[in-house]
Amino acid sequence: VSEPDKQNASDYTCSVCTDIAHPPVVFPCDSEHVFCEGCVTADLVLCPLDRQPIPPGKTTGHLKGSALRIYNKLTLHCPNQCNSWTGVMSDLDSHVSSKCDA
């Protein structure tokens, strides 16, 4: 993650794998922690970070509004270490699926 984005990136860091959450899901605990979709399962009854119980009927959600806009503008390097790409989060999937030389 580039220097200007380190503060914003910390808001979107998955506490399970410690990478920027991708794809990000918002956990339905009181603090609305963000995790990678693949790092948590929908049937958890406690938040993996603060161990708060998940209210019955609540499920993980996705980023919305300004939180999603900030997330999509985060600058990062290719997570596959291909050394040929630095870009914004909103372009990551396209890079990995079609251009990544890793």
Side-chain angles (χ1 to χ4, degrees):
V1 177
S2 65
E3 286 298 321
D5 286 323
K6 283 189 177 181
Q7 179 60 45
N8 285 332
S10 68
D11 293 337
Y12 301 100
T13 300
C14 174
S15 297
V16 175
C17 69
T18 68
D19 286 332
I20 294 176
H22 187 74
V25 293
V26 180
F27 221 72
C29 60
D30 290 342
S31 300
E32 297 184 334
H33 292 117
V34 176
F35 298 94
C36 296
E37 188 174 78
C39 289
V40 295
T41 60
D43 60 348
L44 289 175
V45 294
L46 298 175
C47 173
L49 186 59
D50 61 20
R51 311 302 291 167
Q52 287 184 357
I54 304 306
K58 291 277 191 159
T59 59
T60 57
H62 296 279
L63 296 175
K64 297 177 184 170
S66 61
L68 180 60
R69 285 191 293 279
I70 292 168
Y71 174 82
N72 281 332
K73 292 179 183 178
L74 292 175
T75 302
L76 70 158
H77 302 287
C78 177
N80 294 332
Q81 313 302 321
C82 73
N83 298 318
S84 66
W85 184 82
T86 298
V88 293
M89 183 59 79
S90 60
D91 295 336
L92 176 63
D93 288 335
S94 174
H95 161 73
V96 170
S97 68
S98 66
K99 302 172 190 163
C100 186
D101 58 3

